[in-house]
Amino acid sequence: MMRFLLLFFLFGIKVTTGISQENFANKMDWLAKAKPTSNLFVHFDKNVYSNNETVYFTGYLIKEAKVPISYHSVMAVALIRNIDSTIVLEDKFLMENGFSFGNINIPDSILTGSYHFLVYTDKLINGLPEAVFHQSITIKTNIDPAFKASMKIAAEKPYESKSHKVLISVTSKDNRFLPKPTNIIYRYGNVTKKAKTDASGQFLMTLPLVGDLIDPNVYVKLKYEKDSSFLSLAIPQLKSKADVKFYPEGGNLISGLPCIIGWEVKDQQKMPLALNAYLYKNSQVIDTIETSTYGMGKFMLVPEAGVNYSVKLVHSNLMDSTYALKKAIDKGLTINIQNAVVNDTLNVYVRSIGISKLNILVHNFKEEFLNIPFDMEGRIKLLKISLTDIPKGLTTLTILDSLNRPLAERMFFAHHNTKEKLEIESDKKIYSQREKVSIKLKLNTIDENAVVSIACVQANRLELKKTNDIESYVYLKNELLDLPVNGTGSLYKDKIYLEQILLIKGWRRYTWQDLLSVKLTDTTLTMDSLKISGFITRNDRKKLTKPLTVGLYGSGITTSVVTNEEGLFKLNNADVIVEEGEKMYAFLTAEEMLLHTIKINNPYTTLSKKLVKILPNIEAILPSTLINNSEMVLNAKEKPIRLKEVIITRQNDKPNAWNANKCGDYVCFNKILNCRNHSGDGRNTAPIVGKQYLTVKGLRTYRDCNDKNLNGFYTINGIHTEKEFYISDYKDPIEPAFFSTIYWNYGLVVNGEKEAEISFYTSDITGKFRIVIQGITNKDVIYGENFFEVKANLQ
């Protein structure tokens, strides 16, 4: 954040026109309206899934921007495969008053690997969703791969041959040679190539040595007949230059004034580096400094005029290790905030040379909280700023000269409090398999009420680097970019981490450049909503002669809509809401059906494809170590023993090992539709259209899932309501119960006056389980967690 201050500094650099004091509030109001931001947070039950599992989630639209929260009526969810940005699943869910509850089933056919969910609402600002959220996940499988594949670096000394040799080996599941070659597509850097394995199932890749490669991984897709697998491997890189940046607290080094300097070190892949370094004054070492595991550190310096300061890194993998600091200037001021994560009072030390008339501005670039003149008497002053009227969150202190030009700036966090708001108490800390768990929940504050979602999942199904909590997201991730992974899980609750972030990562989405340039006309934005529409054409391609009535059927309800004279019709959201698992159909009368065709336009699919390109999932590129496709298979203790597969082949149908239809729907031998107790069971059968089956919501008549024209009925991908989580006591000892999510609930109201109680049962999976509770109160957001362990029953 501090770098841009150099552009505006009063001395030694071109002077920029300031903003009059009375215009600050107007400018910030315009900027807030020109760049509205809302907080959409989605609580997913976990971030590591397997095939045939259900993803449960709750969406919270927390902060209002341009569009009122109550106007957002749809939350779209798309699952994106990271390696090729393919949209593999998508759906839409009803949103009411800022809440949306839903679920998506991960079919057996999805390949293992890294994915992310792209979530957004139906309200658009200048053609883009006003509220967007990303959640990274990993998909594993409980099925052994159809073939074994592995890769390794073959050459011991790649630098001598100026290339890397990587060997790919493919065999059958029983370690035999495959009768046919395996097709290979691999990508390294900007080069993508195709190849095939030889008779022994091997292929030797030759990869050139490339310097300054942002992504060090080689990505491989293997395809044998109808089965595919992905592999990846981090390739050793040549020594490269580190990315080193210095952040003098306040923005500048002033000769003779002590200054805390934050610094940050990253490698070529933008990953933080923990290292030591020497601080030089001209050619003499004057101090030893270091960075933390987050690649951040700080040191104190009293710079002298005309002296060169530099830092030399101590790291064996870096080729250029000396980096110069900016030279100190003669006049100016510095800021020192020893504790930037505070509750009610901010203490600021201001040191100045040559400047006395100042203005103190406290703001968040969207709203001005304090703007007062200040006379600097002497060289150092301690300012005590009360934060009573300042809202919770990231706030900026800017010190300006008498013409309101910024001289120094520092970010702090107001009203930070790590006291647990939510009490989560389980009746035991250790449970047996299939034992009842009782949990009591209570808010610690009497004057607050909360609406929360609750997940109890196997602890290893929550990868730390992909975990999102609502407090950290709302107050940090949604405001600051490119934050390093926190080793404790919660960014918000780690004060040491936060202090480093506020010193190093203090730049915002809003900058002084934006504030200076914003105009009233910039606040005029185009607002729109996504609507499903359709178009009717005559089979003889002649224009329609009159409007037609289109019938709509879904969840047992029939309605209609009338087209215009050209055959176009738009559907209101209320027209296409269907229950979970249900389809919506459009149809014409029998007479018109023979002469016309209906085409359905789903704008969500088009927008999702656009967003994948222009709003990529921001995630650090980590060295990848997926060198064997068996690594993405669940542990044997976490999956049931699969029965012998029953293959049923029908004309024009592909064989299906668990007898589901093309939509993934199946009926277990107990006549339960999509019974999660028997996913993958060879005794399953495909559901029959028109027949009733038992579900968690009672009896349901099954309707065909064909996405194409079904005897004149055209499928509309409607807006779904939520699915109830099925809680079982697993009384039948024969039935397998290998569920990593053993409890999910949403929309639960918790307050400080009365305890809320929930209960559920452990499954057959042993080990550590984690309870995660997230939601909002009438004053803030809320997060809580607890753990318990499940041990195997004594035989």
Side-chain angles (χ1 to χ4, degrees), residues 31-146:
L31 191 59
K33 292 178 179 178
K35 295 185 176 182
T37 57
S38 61
N39 275 346
L40 171 64
F41 179 81
V42 185
H43 176 196
F44 288 84
D45 61 324
K46 54 198 174 194
N47 56 45
V48 178
Y49 296 91
S50 70
N51 53 303
N52 299 325
E53 280 195 315
T54 300
V55 181
Y56 294 95
F57 48 85
T58 296
Y60 297 94
L61 194 56
I62 300 166
K63 183 177 66 177
E64 185 171 294
K66 190 75 173 178
V67 180
I69 287 178
S70 60
Y71 286 17
H72 295 257
S73 56
V74 179
M75 187 174 80
V77 181
L79 179 60
I80 316 296
R81 187 165 59 210
N82 291 351
I83 195 170
D84 56 7
S85 298
T86 298
I87 300 175
V88 295
L89 291 173
E90 58 180 337
D91 207 340
K92 299 177 292 296
F93 300 90
L94 181 65
M95 174 170 272
E96 293 183 296
N97 297 318
F99 295 96
S100 182
F101 316 110
N103 64 279
I104 284 182
N105 296 321
I106 298 179
D108 195 61
S109 58
I110 286 186
L111 298 175
T112 59
S114 296
Y115 293 75
H116 71 273
F117 280 108
L118 168 66
V119 187
Y120 57 91
T121 68
D122 58 328
K123 298 304 177 184
L124 307 181
I125 301 293
N126 291 342
L128 297 177
E130 185 181 50
V132 180
F133 181 82
H134 290 92
Q135 174 63 56
S136 297
I137 69 165
T138 299
I139 295 181
K140 297 187 175 183
T141 180
N142 59 21
I143 305 173
D144 292 330

Side-chain angles (χ1 to χ4, degrees), residues 301-540:
L301 181 66
V302 183
E304 299 176 16
V307 174
N308 296 318
Y309 294 93
S310 62
V311 170
K312 184 175 182 180
L313 306 182
V314 181
H315 199 287
S316 59
N317 292 330
L318 300 175
M319 64 178 183
D320 184 4
S321 59
T322 301
Y323 300 84
L325 280 72
K326 294 283 187 180
K327 285 190 175 183
I329 54 180
D330 296 331
K331 295 181 180 181
L333 58 85
T334 63
I335 295 175
N336 176 235
I337 298 178
Q338 296 179 356
N339 296 303
V341 181
V342 294
N343 191 357
D344 298 323
T345 304
L346 180 70
N347 295 323
V348 184
Y349 286 92
V350 180
R351 294 176 174 88
S352 173
I353 293 179
I355 301 177
S356 59
K357 298 295 184 179
L358 304 172
N359 283 322
I360 305 296
L361 179 65
V362 179
H363 61 98
N364 60 8
F365 283 104
K366 293 169 285 186
E367 185 178 357
E368 175 187 305
F369 307 119
L370 180 67
N371 190 342
I372 59 173
F374 173 71
D375 288 332
M376 186 73 184
E377 297 177 358
R379 193 164 182 171
I380 181 172
K381 282 286 186 179
L382 171 60
L383 305 180
K384 289 183 175 290
I385 301 176
S386 173
L387 306 179
T388 304
D389 297 325
I390 294 175
K392 178 179 178 179
L394 295 176
T395 313
T396 300
L397 167 71
T398 305
I399 298 183
L400 309 103
D401 66 7
S402 58
L403 296 179
N404 283 324
R405 293 170 296 193
L407 301 177
E409 188 163 285
R410 182 71 154 91
M411 182 180 288
F412 63 94
F413 196 112
H415 305 297
H416 185 270
N417 191 339
T418 57
K419 181 181 178 181
E420 296 294 340
K421 290 185 176 182
L422 186 66
E423 292 182 9
I424 307 172
E425 182 182 352
S426 58
D427 58 335
K428 296 169 65 175
K429 289 298 181 183
I430 298 178
Y431 297 89
S432 301
Q433 293 166 303
R434 305 193 181 201
E435 184 178 358
K436 186 176 181 179
V437 179
S438 296
I439 306 291
K440 293 182 179 180
L441 310 174
K442 186 178 180 180
L443 283 183
N444 288 323
T445 51
I446 300 297
D447 60 340
E448 286 189 74
N449 295 304
V451 178
V452 300
S453 48
I454 307 171
C456 183
V457 303
Q458 188 181 355
N460 64 6
R461 293 298 196 95
L462 288 164
E463 289 185 5
L464 184 60
K465 67 180 182 180
K466 296 181 179 179
T467 299
N468 266 318
D469 69 87
I470 194 168
E471 289 176 319
S472 299
Y473 183 82
V474 168
Y475 289 115
L476 297 170
K477 291 184 178 180
N478 196 50
E479 297 291 336
L480 305 174
L481 300 178
D482 195 24
L483 296 177
V485 175
N486 176 265
T488 62
S490 174
L491 282 66
Y492 174 81
K493 293 181 178 179
D494 188 340
K495 292 187 69 172
I496 296 176
Y497 173 87
L498 265 181
E499 290 286 358
Q500 294 182 66
I501 288 294
L502 293 175
L503 180 62
I504 302 296
K505 300 282 186 182
W507 57 279
R508 305 292 301 275
R509 290 182 177 180
Y510 303 94
T511 66
W512 277 101
Q513 293 95 319
D514 294 328
L515 195 64
L516 289 171
S517 61
V518 69
K519 304 181 295 294
L520 177 61
T521 54
D522 296 332
T523 63
T524 303
L525 304 174
T526 302
M527 294 185 289
D528 200 359
S529 299
L530 292 171
K531 295 288 185 181
I532 299 174
S533 62
F535 189 72
I536 297 180
T537 58
R538 288 178 62 93
N539 296 335
D540 56 10

Side-chain angles (χ1 to χ4, degrees), residues 176-189:
R176 297 176 181 271
F177 291 148
L178 294 171
K180 298 178 181 179
T182 301
N183 293 310
I184 299 172
I185 300 177
Y186 64 93
R187 173 170 59 85
Y188 182 61

